[in-house]
């Protein structure tokens, strides 16, 4: 972690959003990552998305595990709540915090090592439970922080910087998220901010588990010719299925769209997702078709990106288990203690 705070001097001409905040108000401390690391671009995209969505930074809870990727919450949304958990344990801490206080926007930031190796059980169960969260995996195919070992998302046949061939098959996090019932699944690339910012905005407007796998090259250990997570490889194999635009409730639709069919998906919070199809046959509301498309195109060496699946009507964990709407720390004794009669009835039912 860094202890270098950014100077708070803002140029008076910086644009402000409706809350009166400039983009600088959404930044964090000075990054200590390697220059050119994809993770810093994702932090910048998160800053841009929150500024554009006019989110109050202190209404966000940012949680992470361990890794270069998991360090990044220190570099954005300085005024937000933050919890840097243990390696691979971010999802369970996020689930607990979310159950205790549903009034915050939960942003989980993790790495491919953090989520696909040590934390894969936690990744799986948070999704299948339907936790309302934005879960970003900053996926570079290596354990960057511990000097570049293959991670579980490294493609079979890809090579390390020293030329070692990876013989294991890869965990595909978006395919897994689709199978587990995630109601929003997307893949982005840290080198394509024009695609990534709207994907983050759409995920933040979604209710339910929103999984965003962002290919994020590690310039120190995985940006060479044999890698399938390098800047060059991703640019050459990127097969975007759509472009998404997020329109806030009641906002005038002014976005300029290029050619291609446009599909509108209303979200539960009143915002509208506009998807401009880049692949005419792709239907982002069909889970099975999304899985088929992914597997067929990945087998051809392509890397499908964009909003891969969305179910705008999905419920979340709170709806499934019927929790109270108020944050738990606002409940008093009257709500928390059911009284002697209710306790006697419960005890009698257990005898
Ligand atoms: C319990 C535990 N096991 C192992 C480690 C060592 N460790 C630290 S970060 C890391 C992998 C990080 O990889 P990833 O999540 O992909 O993040 P990146 O650095 O690539 O962004 C490992 C194995 C640890 N900190 N804690
Ligand atoms: S080691 Fe890799 S992942 Fe870590 S900061 Fe450097 S470039 Fe980024
Ligand atoms: Mg990694």
């Amino acid at each position: 972690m860094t202890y270098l705070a950014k100077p708070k001097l803002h140029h008076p001409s910086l644009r402000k959003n409706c809350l009166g905040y400039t983009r600088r108000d959404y930044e964090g401390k000075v990054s200590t990552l390697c220059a050119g690391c994809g993770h810093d671009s994702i932090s910048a995209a998160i800053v841009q998305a929150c500024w554009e969505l006019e989110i109050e930074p202190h209404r966000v809870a940012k949680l992470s595990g361990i890794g270069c990727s998991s360090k990044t919450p220190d570099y954005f949304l300085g005024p937000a709540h933050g919890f840097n958990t243990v390696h691979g344990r971010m999802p369970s801490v996020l689930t607990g915090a979310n159950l205790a206080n549903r009034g915050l926007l939960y942003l989980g930031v993790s790495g491919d090592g953090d989520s696909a190796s040590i934390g894969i059980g936690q990744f799986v169960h948070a999704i299948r439970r339907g936790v309302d969260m934005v879960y970003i995996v900053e996926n570079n195919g290596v354990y960057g922080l511990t000097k570049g070992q293959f991670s579980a998302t490294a493609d079979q046949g890809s090579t390390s910087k020293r030329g070692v061939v990876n013989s294991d098959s890869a965990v595909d996090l978006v395919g897994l998220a689709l199978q587990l019932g995630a109601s929003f699944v997307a893949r982005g690339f840290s080198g394509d901010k024009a695609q990534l910012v709207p994907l983050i905005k759409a995920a933040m407007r979604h209710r339910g588990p929103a999984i965003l796998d962002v290919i994020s090259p590690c310039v120190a250990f995985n940006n060479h010719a044999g890698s399938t997570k390098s800047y060059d490889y991703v640019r050459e194999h990127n097969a975007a299925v759509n472009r998404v635009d997020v329109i806030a409730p009641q906002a005038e639709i002014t976005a300029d769209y290029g050619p291609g069919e446009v599909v509108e998906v209303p979200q539960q919070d009143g915002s509208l997702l506009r998807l401009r199809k880049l692949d005419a046959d792709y239907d982002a509301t069909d889970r099975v078709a999304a899985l088929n498309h992914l597997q067929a195109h990945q087998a051809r060496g392509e890397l499908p990106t964009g909003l891969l699946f969305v179910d705008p009507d999905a419920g979340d964990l709170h709806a499934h288990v019927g929790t109270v709407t108020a944050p738990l720390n606002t409940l008093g004794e009257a709500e928390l203690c059911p009284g002697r009669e209710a306790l006697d009835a419960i005890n009698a039912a257990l005898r």
Side-chain angles (χ1 to χ4, degrees):
M1 296 291 160
T2 177
Y3 296 95
L4 296 176
K6 280 190 187 161
K8 268 285 162 207
L9 287 173
H10 294 188
H11 195 276
S13 68
L14 281 183
R15 275 181 57 209
K16 293 181 177 168
N17 61 16
C18 286
L19 298 173
Y21 293 138
T22 69
R23 264 180 290 257
R24 298 289 311 275
D25 295 311
Y26 291 81
E27 292 177 351
K29 292 181 187 148
V30 175
S31 171
T32 56
L33 303 187
C34 307
C37 175
H39 300 349
D40 277 335
S41 306
I42 301 173
S43 297
I46 292 170
V47 166
Q48 181 73 19
C50 291
W51 181 76
E52 287 181 14
L53 286 179
E54 290 162 354
I55 289 170
E56 293 177 289
H58 66 278
R59 303 301 304 166
V60 177
K62 45 180 189 172
L63 297 98
S64 61
I66 299 289
C68 298
S69 35
S70 292
K71 287 168 68 177
T72 64
D74 212 23
Y75 314 142
F76 59 79
L77 296 182
H81 304 269
F83 198 144
N84 190 215
T85 72
V86 183
H87 198 18
R89 270 55 165 196
M90 175 274 285
S92 55
V93 177
L94 187 153
T95 303
N98 183 307
L99 280 172
N101 183 359
R102 59 159 73 179
L104 302 175
L105 191 160
Y106 287 90
L107 173 58
V109 176
S110 180
D112 43 314
D114 199 58
S115 282
S117 288
I118 193 168
I120 194 154
Q122 301 238 340
F123 176 81
V124 163
H125 292 293
I127 295 175
R128 86 180 172 83
R129 289 186 177 126
V131 179
D132 183 21
M133 61 185 171
V134 178
Y135 192 130
I136 297 180
V137 182
E138 305 192 345
N139 187 352
N140 53 18
V142 287
Y143 298 168
L145 190 72
T146 54
K147 304 267 178 267
Q149 302 85 348
F150 287 126
S151 81
T153 67
D155 287 309
Q156 199 168 37
S158 62
T159 64
S160 72
K161 194 174 173 180
R162 290 175 190 272
V164 177
V165 178
N166 177 35
S167 55
D168 299 339
S169 60
V171 171
D172 175 16
L173 290 173
V174 293
L176 193 55
L178 280 166
Q179 283 179 337
L180 292 165
S183 46
F184 182 109
V185 181
R187 189 192 271 136
F189 169 43
S190 64
D192 186 350
K193 200 175 174 191
Q195 180 194 47
L196 183 57
V197 172
L199 285 178
I200 295 173
K201 286 168 68 181
M204 287 181 164
R205 286 291 192 178
H206 181 76
R207 181 179 178 206
I211 309 303
L212 194 39
D213 177 37
V214 186
I215 308 301
S216 176
C218 168
V219 290
F221 301 109
N222 207 14
N223 196 33
H224 47 270
S227 163
T228 58
K229 303 276 192 289
S230 65
Y231 282 107
D232 285 348
Y233 186 92
V234 179
R235 283 197 190 103
E236 281 160 21
H237 296 81
N238 193 340
V241 295
N242 50 33
R243 285 274 166 183
V244 62
D245 200 41
V246 183
I247 297 155
Q250 281 99 41
E252 195 188 345
I253 299 176
T254 54
D256 185 22
Y257 290 95
E261 189 191 340
V262 173
V263 179
E264 296 190 338
V265 185
Q267 298 256 84
Q268 285 182 34
D269 69 349
S271 61
L272 191 67
L273 300 187
R274 299 197 96 204
L275 300 179
R276 184 165 63 81
K277 286 189 171 197
L278 299 179
D279 182 328
D281 297 329
Y282 195 81
D283 178 2
T285 61
D286 185 335
R287 189 184 292 275
V288 176
L291 264 168
N292 286 339
H293 181 98
L294 271 175
Q295 290 188 350
H297 285 254
Q298 284 170 183
R300 298 210 295 256
E302 294 174 14
L303 186 72
T305 60
L307 179 52
L308 302 169
F309 175 74
V310 61
D311 174 2
D313 303 318
D316 73 337
L317 180 59
H318 286 285
H320 300 164
V321 298
T323 55
V324 289
T325 50
L328 297 189
N329 67 358
T330 64
L331 300 180
E333 195 185 341
E335 294 97 348
L336 291 171
C337 179
R340 175 170 288 281
E341 271 182 31
L343 284 175
D344 286 347
I346 292 168
N347 284 335
L350 296 172
R351 282 195 188 102

